[in-house]
Amino acid sequence: MRQNPVVFDHPLIQHKLSLLRDKQTGSKEFRELVEELSMLMAYEVTRNLPTKEIEIETPICKTKTRAISGKKLGIIPILRAGLGMVDGMLRIVPTARVGHIGLYRDPDTLNPVEYYCKLPSDVSERDLIVLDPMLATGGTASEAVSYIKKAGCTSIKFVSLIACPEGVSRLMKDHPDVELYVAAIDERLNEHGYIVPGLGDAGDRLYGTK
Ligand code: URA
């Protein structure tokens, strides 16, 4: 396993993340940037996929080349903000199946409660990439991973654009087997549960709901 978490330092990822954080960036550009960042992150997240030798025939001759082998991929966005990352991932891994998981925080217990879940029927045989742009308290992320594990999945990567130390610690403590990939680990959470400096509410900025 690679160092965990992996924090991407690619200049394109850092540049696009700065544009995304800027409060002047409107929803259209925000959505485009999330898609572009997801493509770049998909490229890095899939770096260690196994390959095997295959034989093909070019217009010139037969030759041996390499193709991806091993398990098929599944992408699981956590509703709602995770949806913004799906298209970028699919541009890089177009044959991946997509499952959805929705969780809300019970206002009394503050525990995450699942309200929607539709996973591919063969999900337990796939390498899964779970998507949520903001890894804040880590409560939802941890619960989503627990749910997916209960469905039999053993190979899980978690991809966020921005995390904070609290969220990273929680996810790593609850699920040390999960590989975490982020573009930045910010300073902290504030008293309202927002990441500081962060980018605000990712769902609202994606869908213009505020
Ligand atoms: N969810 C968001 O959208 N933003 C945060 O800063 C934290 C959680």
Side-chain angles (χ1 to χ4, degrees):
M1 194 152 108
R2 290 201 218 175
Q3 148 213 348
N4 205 16
V6 175
V7 184
F8 295 123
D9 58 0
H10 193 291
L12 278 173
I13 293 180
Q14 293 306 314
H15 181 82
K16 287 177 191 295
L17 190 62
S18 300
L19 296 173
L20 197 69
R21 288 180 187 276
D22 191 331
K23 70 175 186 184
Q24 306 288 357
T25 300
S27 279
K28 177 178 178 289
E29 199 188 344
F30 192 93
R31 274 196 298 275
E32 289 166 358
L33 285 164
V34 170
E35 182 171 342
E36 290 165 11
L37 278 160
S38 303
M39 282 172 62
L40 294 169
M41 291 175 84
Y43 176 78
E44 291 289 347
V45 167
T46 52
R47 177 176 290 281
N48 290 339
L49 288 184
T51 60
K52 64 178 179 199
E53 191 175 76
I54 57 167
E55 189 173 274
I56 59 157
E57 194 166 354
T58 74
I60 310 298
C61 65
K62 284 189 177 167
T63 185
K64 290 192 168 49
T65 56
R66 301 207 69 78
I68 289 173
S69 63
K71 291 201 223 169
K72 294 186 174 142
L73 292 178
I75 296 173
I76 316 280
I78 300 180
L79 303 179
R80 145 184 86 140
L83 288 177
M85 299 175 74
V86 172
D87 287 350
M89 287 273 156
L90 285 176
R91 294 276 291 274
I92 304 298
V93 282
T95 57
R97 295 273 166 89
V98 182
H100 296 86
I101 182 157
L103 298 158
Y104 71 88
R105 190 168 295 277
D106 184 294
D108 297 325
T109 65
L110 297 184
N111 290 328
V113 180
E114 176 232 329
Y115 66 86
Y116 183 80
C117 187
K118 184 82 181 168
L119 301 176
S121 53
D122 59 353
V123 73
S124 62
E125 291 148 38
R126 290 178 179 263
D127 285 331
L128 296 186
I129 303 175
V130 183
L131 306 175
D132 194 345
M134 308 300 279
L135 180 58
T137 64
T140 303
S142 176
E143 189 63 25
V145 169
S146 297
Y147 191 88
I148 292 164
K149 283 184 175 173
K150 273 186 221 138
C153 305
T154 52
S155 168
I156 301 172
K157 295 179 166 71
F158 199 100
V159 182
S160 284
L161 301 180
I162 301 179
C164 62
E166 295 88 335
V168 172
S169 303
R170 171 77 190 268
L171 188 63
M172 296 287 86
K173 178 173 150 290
D174 293 353
H175 300 287
D177 54 316
V178 168
E179 290 176 34
L180 173 61
Y181 297 86
V182 299
I185 301 179
D186 280 7
E187 279 165 45
R188 62 184 171 90
L189 272 185
N190 71 13
E191 60 280 18
H192 306 293
Y194 282 99
I195 296 176
V196 181
L199 51 69
D201 189 301
D204 282 342
R205 294 196 65 188
L206 274 167
Y207 300 115
T209 43
K210 204 166 181 189

